[in-house]
Amino acid sequence: MSGSQWTMDDAPRLGLPVPEPVPVAGCVVCAGLRARREEARRSGDLSRVSDRNVEMARHPHRPAP
């Protein structure tokens, strides 16, 4: 490929990390997700921590019975 010029793309521009969702007081699902998130964090599985954060942010909140 004579005459072609190869250049690199610009570096990706990332924003600030999104803060972790805060469990809603009295929500049984949030309480369970929080416990599973902390267990994943203790074991060093940050992918699972992220998964629990997404679940916590997206589920409908239900009060404890």
Side-chain angles (χ1 to χ4, degrees):
M1 295 188 163
S2 63
S4 295
Q5 184 176 12
W6 294 86
T7 59
M8 293 177 62
D9 291 335
D10 290 339
R13 296 176 189 205
L14 304 175
L16 294 173
V18 177
E20 287 189 336
V22 177
V24 172
C27 177
V28 293
V29 175
C30 280
L33 290 171
R34 180 181 189 176
R36 290 170 55 200
R37 176 176 69 185
E38 294 311 314
E39 178 185 316
R41 192 184 317 280
R42 282 191 302 274
S43 70
D45 189 344
L46 298 182
S47 178
R48 278 185 32 213
V49 170
S50 178
D51 291 345
R52 298 302 80 83
N53 286 337
V54 170
E55 285 183 77
M56 191 181 300
R58 292 186 177 176
H59 84 276
H61 302 284
R62 291 179 292 170

